Amino acid sequence: MIRVSNVSIAFGGIRAVRDCSLSVEPGTITGLIGPNGAGKTTLFNIVAGFLRPGLGRVEFAGEDVTGMPPHHLFRRGLVRTFQIPHEFATLTVLENLMVVPSRQSGERLLPAWLRPRRVAAEERSLRRRADETLEFLKLAHLRDAPAGILSGGQKKLLEIGRAMMADARVVLLDEPAAGVNRTLMGELAERIRLLNRERKVTFFVIEHDMNLIAALCQPVIVMAQGQVLSQGTLEEIRRDPRVVEAYFGAAGASACMPS
């Protein structure tokens, strides 16, 4: 679904991503881990169209999308979430879902004036979809509450719901466990698994919580210093001395690795 080929980008002479290549296969939940400053979020921003690489190529579903704007990628089914959720705080939880689908008839002045029945029917259909999504996320009891009052974990679930309303084919999740309590993290992980299994949504996940990576992700890709360092199952990369050194340094690697 995603192929990154020899991508590089620099900021003020600092190469945040260097000749990076990786792929995310359809139907997987692929993890992306690495120490702070490894270039993970920068890579996500390149894939999602927020940054244009200086070199290299990004493909989505076999199409070259290098530098394509995020809203164009969104319409193709590539959706990115953020470590800090970006909800519409004063809209209700339900309304946060209803505004997601693009090209709604009611967004244009003439159809709103000349075809009010069509607009109303479309809105009823969207409302039903949004209510079904909230039931799936177990947020139905908060449908009429302002989204700004939700907890961190509930906002992460709402972002998953917005990806569902967009009919996402691939979701880039940036640290979904950050700021989420253990109970809600388990709920979030279960919703991700269900979407992957039942709706065939592909996920690409940046995460520091190894318990969540272990529960969800295979394969796991490790980045360090802007490049892919290792790839495989979590157990395989844990045994890779290059990964241990990237996280703990040479001295730590010597202490951690078996003699």
Side-chain angles (χ1 to χ4, degrees):
M1 290 298 285
I2 297 171
R3 185 176 301 279
V4 175
S5 303
N6 307 114
V7 162
S8 297
I9 192 170
F11 303 101
I14 298 173
R15 298 180 71 188
V17 176
R18 302 184 299 132
D19 196 28
C20 182
S21 297
L22 57 80
S23 62
V24 176
E25 298 301 318
T28 63
I29 305 176
T30 299
L32 181 63
I33 68 172
N36 290 331
K40 305 182 298 296
T41 296
T42 301
L43 181 67
F44 256 37
N45 285 335
I46 290 171
V47 172
F50 291 91
L51 293 172
R52 185 179 186 91
L55 295 170
R57 175 185 175 100
V58 178
E59 296 175 34
F60 174 54
E63 178 186 4
D64 185 355
V65 296
T66 311
M68 185 176 288
H71 61 283
H72 288 177
L73 291 169
F74 175 86
R75 289 173 184 164
R76 284 166 167 77
L78 178 65
V79 176
R80 187 214 197 285
T81 71
F82 294 87
Q83 181 180 347
I84 300 174
H86 292 189
E87 77 284 353
F88 297 107
T90 58
L91 297 184
T92 68
V93 172
L94 184 74
E95 289 166 342
N96 265 265
L97 297 184
M98 290 182 65
V99 300
V100 171
S102 59
R103 299 188 174 120
Q104 297 183 38
S105 299
E107 294 175 342
R108 301 189 302 277
L109 189 59
L110 284 179
W113 278 355
L114 302 178
R115 298 178 181 175
R117 290 184 181 179
R118 175 179 171 180
V119 171
E122 190 176 288
E123 186 166 316
R124 285 193 297 271
S125 176
L126 282 175
R127 189 179 300 274
R128 283 194 297 271
R129 260 186 80 196
D131 275 324
E132 290 168 1
T133 300
L134 290 176
E135 289 287 348
F136 174 82
L137 297 170
K138 299 186 179 180
L139 292 176
H141 61 293
L142 294 166
R143 74 188 295 276
D144 297 317
I149 72 166
L150 299 182
S151 70
Q154 290 167 337
K155 289 179 181 180
K156 295 290 178 75
L157 283 169
L158 182 61
E159 287 214 319
I160 296 291
R162 293 200 292 191
M164 292 171 63
M165 292 295 291
D167 293 322
R169 299 162 67 190
V170 176
V171 181
L172 309 183
L173 292 175
D174 193 347
E175 296 196 37
V180 179
N181 67 51
R182 286 289 163 185
T183 301
L184 272 176
M185 191 173 79
E187 194 66 52
L188 182 67
E190 182 58 26
R191 298 304 101 183
I192 293 169
R193 273 192 290 265
L194 282 172
L195 287 171
N196 175 253
R197 184 169 66 246
E198 296 180 1
R199 304 196 187 191
K200 310 305 179 187
V201 179
T202 300
F203 288 89
F204 193 21
V205 185
I206 292 176
E207 187 51 68
H208 289 289
D209 189 310
M210 290 299 108
N211 291 325
L212 186 61
I213 288 288
L216 285 179
C217 300
Q218 186 170 330
V220 179
I221 299 170
V222 185
M223 280 188 73
Q225 298 181 344
Q227 295 179 305
V228 172
L229 187 63
S230 184
Q231 178 172 338
T233 66
L234 187 58
E235 287 307 312
E236 287 170 343
I237 65 171
R238 278 175 169 163
R239 293 194 296 268
D240 189 330
R242 297 171 301 168
V243 175
V244 179
E245 182 173 348
Y247 273 97
F248 301 107
S254 299
C256 291
M257 296 303 297
S259 57

